[in-house]
Amino acid sequence: MTTPERYAEHVLPTYGRFPLVPVRGAGCRLWDDAGKSYLDFCMGIAVCSLGHCHPRLVEAIRHQAGELIHVSNLYQHPLQAELAEEINEHHVRLPGKIFFSNSGAEANDGLIKAARRFGQKRPHADGTRRYEVLTFLQSFHGRTLGSMAATGQAKIQEGFDPLLPGFRHLPFNDIAAVESAIRPETAAILLEPIQGEGGVNQATPEFIRAVAEICEKHDLLLFFDEVQVGFGRCGDSMAWRMTAPEIRPDGISWAKGMGGGVPIGAFWLSDRAIDRDDTPLSSLLGPGSHGSTYGGNPLVCAASLAVLKEIREQELAVNAILQEVRIRETVRSWSLPVIAEVRGQGLLLGIALDPARIPTPEGKTAALVVVNELMAHGLIVPPAGPNTFRLLPPLNVTDAEVDEALEIIRKVLSQF
Ligand SMILES: *Cc1c(COP(=O)(O)O)cnc(C)c1O
């Protein structure tokens, strides 16, 4: 039996998978089961920040696997504490506290629970209990019952009624819509500084600032979903800082790039006081209020520490900006009519296509046609929405690797 045949026989068909069967990776390269090599600009969907099997990450995992893999959160192993300190002191650089989960969806569920606790502790002035979290159309926050309800895309929620109540989805970058949406039940606003899955849509500085002001005015929590954009991907350790550096969020969620491929996520809550008694927001989730058996175990924390220290010490966020500039300049120089636009920031870039120029057989989107064509030419990239594909190389990608990928893209897109 071939691998795809085994999938068909034994694995739930929840994903529309490409036929590729990867078996080995090193840096920017990926090899399939027939020995064919690819340049990988998908990187497990912005997960492998250091490329495949980076020696520092491999060594950290190897070493920790022989020391201690798991103990549960009944005890206090040093690596979870060290990782939280690394994130707080060098990446968030604001006073707050961290909970470790295993994925981005779980991290967002944690923020949703924090919003509800906050809303109970701080009811509206008229006594109304607050629980509602405002999110945005085209957002993606995950697939659990909570994060799916937060997600502003009908196709993700289809067939799973009744959804968890307590969410409304507003048009992105529309300040007036947010202003008029606030009601006594509203407790928090959750947004991606750059929407990744939804097609690479950037929040404008005006929008982020206006949302922060609205939160301040109505005593709402401001949450950033940095699951895809955080830890250097967009040119700063935290993506919101690239857009509106003075903003101080109340909560942040992460996953994807923070582990370089091991399953780890986290959410952060600010230490800021939420009332006259100086109760810190971060104290609302006290003992017994939330938990995860695996969350932040020694193995994944050792891996994440290696990844985050490498990103910081090698200043890989700076490389993300330098490579963005090179990519944008080269793509502009082609003047290809099939490229409508380049969106995004750092190494979360979306190449938006003109779908009118791309013949699409049996229900395939323009993005899928191009992604398949690029794969046939040796470059792996993920789609984002129907007309955009993403470039998500590792943060340490070299000039030569970027040039090689761009040459494949130019060759393929010149056909259209
Ligand atoms: C991928 C993603 C999630 C979900 O993360 P999982 O680890 O798949 O649960 C949430 N939010 C954003 C912005 C994402 O890109």
Side-chain angles (χ1 to χ4, degrees), residues 205-216:
E206 303 76 53
F207 184 66
I208 291 195
R209 291 191 172 112
V211 168
E213 257 172 51
I214 291 166
C215 286
E216 173 102 37

Side-chain angles (χ1 to χ4, degrees), residues 383-399:
N387 302 323
T388 303
F389 67 87
R390 271 172 290 180
L391 299 180
L392 300 170
L395 304 183
N396 54 9
V397 69
T398 63
D399 288 5

Side-chain angles (χ1 to χ4, degrees), residues 103-106 108 140-143 192 197 225 227-228 255-256:
S103 68
E106 285 171 88
N108 284 326
F140 183 76
H141 299 297
R143 303 282 196 159
E192 296 157 87
E197 302 302 310
D225 179 339
V227 168
Q228 184 155 165
K256 292 200 167 88

Side-chain angles (χ1 to χ4, degrees), residues 370-413:
V370 169
V371 164
N372 278 306
E373 198 62 20
L374 289 170
M375 194 184 291
H377 285 77
L379 176 68
I380 299 177
V381 296
N387 302 323
T388 303
F389 67 87
R390 271 172 290 180
L391 299 180
L392 300 170
L395 304 183
N396 54 9
V397 69
T398 63
D399 288 5
E401 287 157 346
V402 163
D403 291 346
E404 188 183 335
L406 286 171
E407 189 43 33
I408 295 171
I409 294 169
R410 192 195 58 76
K411 212 191 266 164
V412 165
L413 291 186

Side-chain angles (χ1 to χ4, degrees), residues 24-26 52-70 79 259 262 297-307:
R24 193 164 65 83
H52 293 295
C53 302
H54 188 278
R56 187 168 181 177
L57 174 58
V58 171
E59 183 44 38
I61 294 172
R62 278 216 173 103
H63 173 78
Q64 192 56 40
E67 290 288 318
L68 185 64
I69 293 175
H70 178 81
L79 288 160
V262 302
N297 82 14
L299 187 71
V300 297
C301 286
S304 183
L305 260 175
V307 171

Side-chain angles (χ1 to χ4, degrees), residues 149-170:
T151 292
Q153 299 187 53
K155 66 168 197 218
I156 300 226
Q157 301 162 336
E158 200 185 300
F160 298 119
D161 282 344
L163 296 178
L164 184 75
F167 299 93
R168 263 184 304 149
H169 311 112
L170 311 174

Side-chain angles (χ1 to χ4, degrees), residues 2 10 234 256 353 374 376:
T2 65
H10 299 293
C234 296
K256 292 200 167 88
L353 304 161
L374 289 170

